Amino acid sequence: MRRFIAAAATSLVAAALAVGAAVGIVALLDATPEQPNTPLISYETASAGS
């Protein structure tokens, strides 16, 4: 019975660590600012008269 309790406690701690790591990774990814959506190259459009 003692080994079963130890195994259950170990698996609960491992699951809690996995959930904590996943939440931490998502928080880090969400904390990065969004990059501006500006083009690096812009082409001048010719007017209709030319």
Side-chain angles (χ1 to χ4, degrees), residues 20-37:
V23 169
I25 289 171
V26 169
L28 283 176
L29 289 175
D30 196 31
T32 58
E34 289 190 24
Q35 299 296 320
N37 191 14

Side-chain angles (χ1 to χ4, degrees), residues 35-41:
Q35 299 296 320
N37 191 14
T38 56
L40 295 175
I41 301 172

